[in-house]
Amino acid sequence: MRALADGARVSGTQLKEEARSEAANLQAARDKLESIKSYTPYMAEAAAMESYTYAAMIERLESRFDQFGAELQVPLKWRDAWKPKAKFETMDLQVDRVGALFAAAAAFSYCAAQAQPRGGNGLEEAADFFQKSAHCLAVAHDLTKAAVWGLRPRWDTNALTGDMRPEMLSALRQLMLAQAQRAFHEKACSEQHAESLKAKVCMGAATLFAEVVRAFESRPELVAEVTETGGYFTKADTSWLGKLKASQLWAEALAEEHAANEEKEAFRYGHQVARLQRAVAKAKAASSAASADEVEGSEWQAIREGTSRLEHKLSHADHENK
């Protein structure tokens, strides 16, 4: 608001009431978002929508300037979500837009994590929230990529915080899509859909998780970003890669199990046993990945229990096939 008034005074023009009102609304929205210190199940969705709406307000404002609002000479600051001491500063309005989209993505993913354990309609809600989170990250990625690429980039890539780098935003987007696919698989199982459909959805999740694993493994700085220190809402977590690998391998194991069930329905019992053998191998690999990176026991208990179930299922099928 002050920047608009100063600009009008320098140019000798009078600040229109419409511009004054819009600036006031923008500042009020920003103040509201800055007051959020953590999420709760009762306000996370509202926080996500507030962030998304604020990003749209910034988009409308920046469209009125030739240099993305740099003419206003308003310093804007973004603090790293994982490393709050790290910050990126610029006078480009678009950084505020990217930050708002990142915040919306975080809030939507929180909503998804709250909805998924409820099962039933909660699974559909979780998938929807994860997809909304992925959309926000995709837009943030495209905006950041446009700002840092080319012969004359607007933003210095060396000055960007780790969470705002295009590679990180792309990896997080794929992670949200992977989790959405996993929620769709759980929904398909709860509604007793065909084994072929469940196998297809499960392999889709596995493929997406594999993309995220490759993204992190190919860039050590991404791993360091999410594991070295805690952020605003979470403590440091050194088990990121373990969780990702375990999620990928477990999805592959379940896809093999569904394919085995399909083979059984077609009376191809030898193929069923072979599929179950691969499922058990994948499940054991998932447990090993989780254990190697010290994923908390409660988080991979389902994989351990699922491995035992698959081993029993394989033993029974092998016995019946003899």
Side-chain angles (χ1 to χ4, degrees), residues 84-254:
K85 290 183 180 180
K87 60 186 178 181
F88 174 59
E89 294 185 73
T90 179
M91 293 184 182
D92 190 324
L93 281 172
Q94 216 161 70
V95 75
D96 230 23
R97 188 172 160 203
V98 170
L101 288 165
F102 190 100
F108 279 132
S109 66
Y110 177 92
C111 293
Q114 294 296 310
Q116 195 162 356
R118 297 203 307 267
N121 291 336
L123 295 172
E124 188 170 351
E125 289 179 19
D128 182 57
F129 282 132
F130 278 131
Q131 288 177 324
K132 287 178 178 176
S133 180
H135 168 72
C136 292
L137 290 166
V139 177
H141 167 270
D142 292 347
L143 291 172
T144 302
K145 182 179 177 180
V148 301
W149 279 33
L151 297 176
R152 300 179 64 183
R154 303 195 330 267
W155 299 352
D156 180 2
T157 54
N158 295 321
L160 285 179
T161 53
D163 58 347
M164 197 176 282
R165 292 183 177 277
E167 301 84 3
M168 175 64 84
L169 293 170
S170 177
L172 293 177
R173 176 195 62 204
Q174 295 304 95
L175 178 57
M176 294 302 107
L177 291 175
Q179 293 182 104
Q181 194 81 345
R182 183 163 60 186
F184 280 130
H185 169 254
E186 292 181 21
K187 185 173 184 289
C189 289
S190 68
E191 296 176 353
Q192 299 182 336
H193 285 284
E195 295 294 338
S196 58
L197 174 63
K198 290 185 281 189
K200 183 177 180 180
V201 173
C202 218
M203 275 309 298
T207 299
L208 288 164
F209 276 120
E211 290 178 10
V212 182
V213 170
R214 285 195 297 272
F216 275 85
E217 287 186 327
S218 65
R219 291 184 173 273
E221 67 272 19
L222 298 188
V223 178
E225 171 70 12
V226 299
T227 60
E228 284 185 355
T229 186
Y232 285 121
F233 305 125
T234 60
K235 60 182 181 180
D237 185 355
T238 59
S239 62
W240 258 71
L241 265 183
K243 290 176 182 176
L244 292 173
K245 291 176 182 176
S247 295
Q248 173 199 338
L249 291 163
W250 180 239
E252 291 174 356
L254 291 177

Side-chain angles (χ1 to χ4, degrees), residues 71-91:
E71 304 95 316
L72 293 173
Q73 294 294 295
V74 177
L76 298 166
K77 183 188 302 180
W78 168 255
R79 290 192 180 276
D80 194 310
W82 280 276
K83 300 178 179 179
K85 290 183 180 180
K87 60 186 178 181
F88 174 59
E89 294 185 73
T90 179
M91 293 184 182

Side-chain angles (χ1 to χ4, degrees), residues 256 259-264 266-278 321:
E256 290 287 358
N261 292 341
E262 200 174 3
E263 298 288 7
K264 182 180 179 181
F267 307 107
R268 294 191 291 265
Y269 299 115
H271 292 287
Q272 176 202 10
V273 171
R275 289 282 192 179
L276 286 173
Q277 288 173 336
R278 288 198 287 271
N321 193 45

Side-chain angles (χ1 to χ4, degrees), residues 57-73:
M57 294 171 72
I58 290 292
E59 181 181 12
R60 289 195 297 271
L61 179 60
E62 72 185 39
S63 68
R64 300 184 179 187
F65 299 95
D66 295 327
Q67 302 175 35
F68 300 94
E71 304 95 316
L72 293 173
Q73 294 294 295

